[in-house]
Amino acid sequence: MLTRRVIVALLAASAVLFGAAPMAGAAEAGGSTVETRQFSGEGSSSMGLAYYYAYQQALGKAADAGFGDCVLIDSYEWPGGFNVWVLLECTRQQATDR
C-alpha cells in the first residue's frame, strides 16, 4: 500500500517536472490504463455536408468500439469539396486487475 502511494507521488512529481498531465500517471498507478486508437471516416455530399458526414462516421466507429473522448488530428478535402476524409484519435480508460 505504501509503495503505491510512493509511485503515485513520484509520477505526479515527474509530471510536473516534464510538463505531462499529472492525472494520467496517477490513473495508471491507481489500476487503470489509457488506450488510444485512431478512427477514420469518409463523407460525400453535393450540398456541403461532406465534412459533417465524415466526422459522424468516424465518431460512430469510435462509439461502437467503446471510445468516447475524440480529437480531430487530420482531414483532407478533395478538390471541389464533395468528398472529405477525417481522422480522429480517441482514448478510453480501462480498469486493470491487480
Side-chain angles (χ1 to χ4, degrees):
M1 186 66 129
L2 182 59
T3 57
R4 182 177 286 180
R5 290 182 184 167
V6 171
I7 290 172
V8 170
L10 289 174
L11 286 172
S14 65
V16 169
L17 289 174
F18 296 110
M23 290 308 294
E28 288 179 16
S32 66
T33 59
V34 177
E35 183 181 356
T36 303
R37 196 165 145 197
Q38 295 179 351
F39 298 92
S40 64
E42 298 177 15
S44 298
S45 174
S46 61
M47 297 173 41
L49 298 172
Y51 182 84
Y52 174 78
Y53 292 148
Y55 192 84
Q56 290 301 316
Q57 183 185 47
L59 237 109
K61 289 179 182 178
D64 289 345
F67 289 79
D69 187 23
C70 298
V71 176
L72 177 69
I73 59 171
D74 197 10
S75 66
Y76 180 76
E77 182 177 335
W78 276 265
F82 296 116
N83 298 310
V84 175
W85 172 84
V86 298
L87 184 64
L88 302 180
E89 186 171 83
C90 305
T91 58
R92 69 175 171 187
Q93 287 193 350
Q94 291 182 327
T96 58
D97 296 328
R98 291 199 177 232

